[in-house]
Amino acid sequence: MEITLNNGRKMPIVGLGVWRMEPELIRDLIINAIKIGYRHFDCAADYKNEEEVGAALAEAFETGLVKREDLFITTKLWNSDHGHVVEACKDSLKKLRLDYLDLYLVHFPIATKHTGVGTTGSALDKDGVLEIDTTISLETTWHAMEDLVSIGLARSIGISNYDIFLTRDCLAYSRVKPAVNQIETHPFFQRESLVKFCQKHGICVTAHTPLGGAAANTERFGTESCLDAPALKVLGGKYKKSPAQIALRWGIQRGTVVIPKTSKLERLEENFQVFDFELSDEDMGAIQSLDRNYRTNQPTKFWGIDLYA
């Protein structure tokens, strides 16, 4: 199942995110995912495992498991490389062992002190606050992203973690419209206004953290997972599906791409088994009532500044 982007290219509606994936697990994860049917992989320079992903992809291509054109590969520009977009993209391509990306995203709408291409540093000042580079505008970054399309390094470009106002601005100054806005959204953090705004203007919404981060975000950020919501468990019983499958199906039916992350084979299979049922309008409404405007992925916790304030 695919979504057609605003440039006519197709994007699989379910992908696999590799954030916080241990490098030694990547090979088996990617190979098993492809065998299960995954064709969309979401990476980032900041995940620090592009080389391992690249080795697994190369194996998949060399053994004939899948062809390059059958996969949709995303990676992202880190904050410290806003002034070095082309170089950063080439660095990611080298690590991923690819000639082009299907999608390259601006990871966060903020430029920070450059720490060296591909190093993905988050330099802090003496007070422990993120060193923001005030000489590089998001418009400058976006026009450099557009150059990637013209020279063939990226087939589509997009944004990530942009709110309505930054998305609106990007639409205003862009020559190549963003194809995707990747944001945190799940039953506890539905962001209906932002999702509808993007969709109205032809921008596909990809839901990162579509399961609310589960135990990983509870451990890292101290946040609560939507998978513990009694309503999802009740619906899971009704449809004979897990709460995670209910949450993913809800995301799909609202027209978003979902990229759940897991390192467990049984969960990898489970997260892909979301095409054989459909939630009723009533049950979609029941999930909609769970919205708490509750963000679970909070990287600003480590940056000494609240970028979402």
Side-chain angles (χ1 to χ4, degrees):
M1 190 172 179
E2 298 173 318
I3 279 183
T4 301
L5 303 179
N6 58 21
N7 57 8
R9 297 192 180 276
K10 306 287 187 180
M11 183 180 189
I13 204 165
V14 174
L16 177 65
V18 299
W19 183 40
R20 292 186 300 207
M21 193 65 60
E22 295 299 326
E24 63 271 18
L25 301 178
I26 290 288
R27 184 265 173 197
D28 288 347
L29 179 77
I30 298 292
I31 297 299
N32 284 325
I34 291 173
K35 289 179 179 178
I36 289 168
Y38 286 85
R39 294 295 180 266
H40 174 186
F41 295 95
D42 183 82
C43 314
D46 188 52
Y47 301 166
K48 297 178 175 61
N49 54 21
E50 287 179 316
E51 290 183 339
E52 289 78 12
V53 172
L57 293 176
E59 179 182 339
F61 300 148
E62 290 166 3
T63 60
L65 181 61
V66 71
K67 297 178 181 178
R68 169 65 184 97
E69 56 267 29
D70 295 330
L71 297 186
F72 191 101
I73 309 297
T74 300
T75 197
K76 307 178 190 76
L77 173 77
W78 186 239
N79 306 335
S80 57
D81 284 334
H82 276 229
H84 305 267
V85 173
V86 173
E87 301 97 314
C89 182
K90 287 181 177 179
D91 183 71
S92 285
L93 284 169
K94 181 179 179 180
K95 290 173 179 174
L96 290 167
R97 305 192 195 184
L98 300 175
D99 296 324
Y100 68 90
L101 296 168
D102 295 280
L103 178 64
Y104 195 50
L105 301 176
V106 180
H107 203 150
F108 282 95
I110 182 171
T112 62
K113 180 180 178 180
H114 184 57
T115 56
V117 170
T119 60
T120 64
S122 294
L124 306 179
D125 65 18
K126 61 182 178 59
D127 297 316
V129 176
L130 194 65
E131 287 272 22
I132 297 174
D133 188 336
T134 60
T135 69
I136 303 172
S137 69
L138 293 177
E139 180 174 358
T140 298
T141 297
W142 186 254
H143 291 322
M145 294 284 287
E146 292 172 323
D147 291 340
L148 300 176
V149 178
S150 64
I151 62 180
L153 297 183
R155 293 188 167 179
S156 300
I157 52 175
I159 53 183
S160 182
N161 300 302
Y162 277 50
D163 63 18
I164 283 181
F165 304 108
L166 292 175
T167 304
R168 173 208 60 191
D169 287 352
C170 189
L171 286 168
Y173 54 64
S174 61
R175 296 187 303 269
V176 177
K177 303 297 181 186
V180 168
N181 186 7
Q182 184 179 126
I183 60 172
E184 177 181 349
T185 180
H186 46 76
F188 278 1
F189 195 42
Q190 299 185 20
R191 314 181 80 180
E192 195 70 12
S193 294
L194 176 55
V195 171
K196 287 184 175 178
F197 177 85
C198 289
Q199 292 173 339
K200 177 180 179 180
H201 293 280
I203 301 173
C204 170
V205 173
T206 294
H208 75 65
T209 324
L211 303 177
N217 276 6
T218 298
E219 179 180 338
R220 185 176 177 86
F221 302 118
T223 50
E224 182 182 349
S225 171
C226 62
L227 299 185
D228 295 324
L232 292 187
K233 295 179 180 179
V234 169
L235 290 175
K238 175 180 176 179
Y239 290 94
K240 294 182 173 54
K241 293 290 183 178
S242 69
Q245 288 171 315
I246 297 295
L248 294 173
R249 184 67 207 185
W250 169 80
I252 290 170
Q253 285 185 217
R254 71 196 294 239
T256 64
V257 170
V258 293
I259 49 171
K261 172 261 180 186
T262 184
S263 58
K264 298 178 180 178
L265 181 58
E266 62 270 23
R267 293 283 184 260
L268 195 65
E269 295 173 337
E270 177 184 294
N271 290 344
F272 202 71
Q273 294 169 354
V274 291
F275 300 110
D276 58 350
F277 74 107
E278 184 172 337
L279 298 170
S280 69
D281 291 342
E282 179 182 2
D283 292 336
M284 288 290 289
I287 297 174
Q288 188 173 11
S289 70
L290 298 178
D291 193 11
R292 299 183 183 180
N293 194 31
Y294 181 71
R295 184 188 300 276
T296 68
N297 187 321
Q298 301 173 350
T300 58
K301 175 180 179 181
F302 306 105
W303 294 341
I305 185 173
D306 187 356
L307 298 183
Y308 303 116

